[in-house]
Amino acid sequence: MVGPAANTVYEGRCKVQTSGGLAAENTEGGIVEALGAVTPVWSMYVHFPYGTTGLLPGDVCEITEADDPNLKGRRLRLLNMQSEKSHATACRWNVKEVGNSNE
């Protein structure tokens, strides 16, 4: 995990996960909108081990190792921590990919 000043605040295991897939109308214009296309909307999350501290919104998580070669090298900006739970098993963050056109 690399913060805004490139300081490492966490180094270790995490889990990248998506959820959603709900259809949403594309309102950005162009041919997709003209055709009335509907695109899936996915949410992206990073789960850190329970009790991980020091992470802040705006920090960037870089995936340096992964079983899925498509994840290796991707950078994900931490947006906000998901709601707290009384029996949490992970520290879950909503994220958005750095460099993605949706950032």
Side-chain angles (χ1 to χ4, degrees):
M1 170 61 70
V2 179
N7 297 322
T8 299
V9 294
Y10 171 79
E11 187 171 359
R13 297 177 66 101
C14 68
K15 178 174 82 171
V16 177
Q17 183 169 330
T18 57
S19 71
L22 301 174
E25 292 183 31
N26 187 324
T27 59
E28 295 181 12
I31 193 162
V32 174
E33 182 182 9
L35 295 173
V38 176
T39 57
V41 176
W42 294 92
S43 296
M44 197 168 203
Y45 310 98
V46 174
H47 298 187
F48 298 97
Y50 177 76
T52 300
T53 60
L55 306 177
L56 297 171
D59 286 350
V60 175
C61 172
E62 182 174 354
I63 308 301
T64 58
E65 295 293 329
D67 290 336
D68 179 353
N70 294 310
L71 290 174
K72 193 171 180 179
R74 291 175 74 179
R75 295 168 44 89
L76 309 167
R77 183 170 314 283
L78 302 184
L79 300 177
N80 60 322
M81 189 188 288
Q82 292 181 359
S83 62
E84 293 77 17
K85 299 178 179 181
S86 58
H87 300 288
T89 58
C91 179
R92 296 170 174 89
W93 282 81
N94 297 304
V95 298
K96 188 171 274 192
E97 189 160 10
V98 174
N100 184 315
S101 62
N102 293 324
E103 181 185 19

